[in-house]
Amino acid sequence: MGECGCLVSELGGEKQLIAAANFIIKALGSDITISDDAKKVLADLCTELSLVVSRNQRADVVEIEVEGTEIGEVEEIESRLKVVQEKIMVWEADQSMIWDSAAPDDASEYLNAADEARELVSKLEGLCLSKDEGDFELSRKAHDVLQTAMARLEEEFRHLLARSSLEFQLESVSVHSTEDAVDDGSTHLYRDESFEASVRSSSVGRNLENSIIDLVNPDAVCELMGIANVMFKSGYDQECIQAYNHLRRDALNECLLTLEMEKMSIEDVLKMDWVTLNSKIRKWNRAMKRFVRVYLPSEKCLCDQIFGEEGSVSLTCFVESSKASMLQFLNFGEAMAIGPHTPEKLNRILEMYEVVEELLSDIDALYCDEVGYHVRIEYHDVQKSLGHSVRATFLEFGKAIAANTSPHPFAGGGIHHLTKYVMNYLMILTDYSESLNFLLKDGEDMYPISPSCSMNSSREREEESESRGSCSGEFSPMARHFRSVATILENNLEEKSKQYKDAALQQFFLMNNIHYMAQKVRGSELSQIFGEDWIRKHYGKFQQQAMNYERASWNSILSYLREDPGSNSESKNVLKERLRSFNVAFEEIYKTQTSWIIHDSRLREDLRISTSLRVIHAYRAFFGRCNNHVSDKLIKYSPDDLEGYLLDLFEGSPKSLPNTNRR
């Protein structure tokens, strides 16, 4: 046995077994005595050998059976493949589209044939076929049939999707908006008097509801879904997705043209004149609402219908097909945000900001997960950029007011264009209170007062400082900034008033403009922003300026009518000289102040009454004294005449009194 052990150890596997068996047979052939233990070992060995032989025999039988089964299945597959191939190739010879066929069953039969080709390829791949030429040829043939069917289905999918796509109709969705009338294309800080008649705009389409519309004929959606299902199961999902995305991108481009959104680069937008740009912004606001609230949800719904709501395929298709169009919108928004921060753009940029803010949740829902991350981030970035632009433009608005200068005094002492523009503009901005309060809350010191625009006096500086300090806890960020803008305007008006050489006209100009400011605030939503204390203060201001005007205009003239306090009687010559001096001075005031203008009828009437009370009262007393000492020929005007002439003042049309020759 030692020799046997050495032999076995030197050999391995089946060779070991054969060597050991030969050794045992040789040993048994010699004349040896076998003990009981040896007999038992040999008996066990016989048993083991029997089991091994039995197992090998069964395996041989199974192998024969499997080979028989596979041969049978291959024959069946080959037979079925032949039928499928005939069905597929019939349409390859036909140039017409299957889904355009008049026979209702043609499309379903072809789809079933394509799906069966997929099943046959799958079965062939599951069989352990031999590597002989016949089996290889059958497998290649099955794949060729499947590939031919998939190429045809891709073509049919494209054709059916293109044929069934519906044109996006603007009238399918109504967006309510009002357009303001401040669209004269001016790039100046203030506009002409027609600005006062402007109509304030509101945010575009605030109440637009989400709605789904049919972008593809509903009858075709099920057919498209069936084609996509077979292509996906056959491993041709990318071809189907690419076909879908290509066609839907084209459809989205058509939608943008319908919405009047032409493709423009940021450089194109920055070069655009304001009149054109203003129109583009209004179109962008309307189009953005329709696109995000109607078209994109409808596109997402179409993707879900064709590719199924489960999984990321539908979302991926939606994002890929709509991304370029969405970024086209965002490029315009970004261009507006980085463009020059001129004041006339402020309300338009605010409109854009509010539209973007309002649609933020819609975008987050449409472009969710990692698939939509890029579009979502771009959208949020544009929102932030527009917000920064609003703050910067508001700052430039204040700076532009402070820097506005005129080479000549404003004719007639009326309401300056700058005053009208600023106050009307603030009224427009009240439509955006919520946004402005959010965007301006961190800009407490946006408007430092320029040294060149000082207040009337140190006392007024103190009052303004107290007002700004006290209102910091009482007023909204928007209110604080509006008050700052109003202060800058008042400072500018103060500087402009100094261009008049006539002290009376200085006060007249300030009275007109401060009155206009106070009236605009009191008669609008600005009253809630500025507060009652501001209104009271500015009513007091223009009333004081009216008194200052009267003093500067009439005190020196009325001095001719006063009786000398130290004399009991006035000589005839003194009365004549005073009367003559009064007439000259009054005629000069009449000629001058009929060219001055007060647009507000009530303010004009109040100032006439106040002036008349002072002048006519003094003149009546003087007239009574003259009756006893001066000839009627020397008295040119009666008190009633003067009262009538005073009604001609402040009409903005210079006049001269009749018969001005001195006697």
Side-chain angles (χ1 to χ4, degrees), residues 590-620:
Y590 180 87
K591 181 179 179 180
T592 300
Q593 296 194 14
T594 50
S595 67
W596 296 3
I597 188 166
I598 299 177
H599 290 285
D600 185 85
S601 59
R602 183 168 181 177
L603 178 62
R604 182 171 61 245
E605 187 63 26
D606 286 347
L607 192 59
R608 282 172 177 171
I609 291 172
S610 177
T611 300
S612 181
L613 287 174
R614 297 186 66 189
V615 175
I616 301 305
H617 175 74
Y619 189 74
R620 284 189 188 279

Side-chain angles (χ1 to χ4, degrees), residues 360-379:
L360 194 61
S361 59
D362 297 84
I363 292 296
D364 286 345
L366 288 166
Y367 294 95
C368 57
D369 299 335
E370 289 298 318
V371 180
Y373 176 80
H374 178 67
V375 175
R376 200 165 66 247
I377 290 301
E378 286 285 332
Y379 192 92

Side-chain angles (χ1 to χ4, degrees), residues 66 118 123 150 156 260 287 384-385 390 393 409 488 600:
V66 168
R118 174 194 63 79
K123 285 186 177 182
M150 291 301 107
E156 294 285 343
E260 300 182 85
K384 292 176 184 176
S385 296
V390 168
T393 306
I488 294 172
D600 185 85

Side-chain angles (χ1 to χ4, degrees), residues 199-216:
V199 181
R200 286 182 290 160
S201 64
S202 64
S203 291
V204 180
R206 293 179 184 273
N207 298 319
L208 181 64
E209 295 292 334
N210 285 25
S211 58
I212 302 297
I213 60 175
D214 290 326
L215 301 179
V216 171

Side-chain angles (χ1 to χ4, degrees), residues 440-554:
L440 300 177
K441 65 182 178 181
D442 297 324
E444 294 288 333
D445 300 319
M446 287 173 64
Y447 301 110
I449 303 301
S450 171
S452 63
C453 295
S454 59
M455 303 292 288
N456 285 348
S457 65
S458 59
R459 174 57 187 162
E460 288 201 23
R461 285 194 208 97
E462 288 179 15
E463 289 176 357
E464 183 62 24
S465 177
E466 290 172 3
S467 174
R468 293 173 72 182
S470 64
C471 74
S472 62
E474 300 172 11
F475 292 94
S476 65
M478 180 177 171
R480 292 195 291 275
H481 287 92
F482 275 30
R483 282 186 163 216
S484 294
V485 167
T487 298
I488 294 172
L489 174 59
E490 289 179 55
N491 293 338
N492 186 284
L493 293 171
E494 179 69 24
E495 291 299 310
K496 282 180 168 55
S497 72
K498 295 175 183 178
Q499 293 179 310
Y500 298 106
K501 295 179 180 179
D502 189 334
L505 188 51
Q506 290 180 9
Q507 296 300 313
F508 185 87
F509 172 76
L510 288 173
M511 172 201 70
N512 257 326
N513 285 271
I514 299 301
H515 175 267
Y516 182 85
M517 292 173 66
Q519 286 290 88
K520 280 293 180 182
V521 172
R522 189 174 191 177
S524 69
E525 293 181 17
L526 289 172
S527 61
Q528 302 299 318
I529 297 171
F530 279 81
E532 284 299 321
D533 62 321
W534 189 95
I535 296 172
R536 284 194 299 270
K537 177 182 176 182
H538 285 74
Y539 264 80
K541 271 189 177 183
F542 81 75
Q543 288 168 356
Q544 181 61 50
Q545 287 153 353
M547 292 176 61
N548 293 342
Y549 149 77
E550 288 184 6
R551 292 192 187 104
S553 285
W554 298 101

Side-chain angles (χ1 to χ4, degrees), residues 560 572-582:
Y560 297 128
K572 183 177 180 180
N573 290 335
V574 170
L575 289 174
K576 286 180 180 180
E577 185 59 33
R578 287 185 177 182
L579 181 60
R580 187 178 294 108
S581 297
F582 174 83

Side-chain angles (χ1 to χ4, degrees), residues 115-139:
D115 194 39
E116 189 171 2
R118 174 194 63 79
E119 290 180 358
L120 295 176
V121 168
S122 179
K123 285 186 177 182
L124 284 172
E125 290 174 348
L127 295 175
C128 299
L129 298 178
S130 64
K131 302 299 182 180
D132 62 42
E133 187 175 346
D135 290 343
F136 177 78
E137 179 65 22
L138 180 62
S139 179

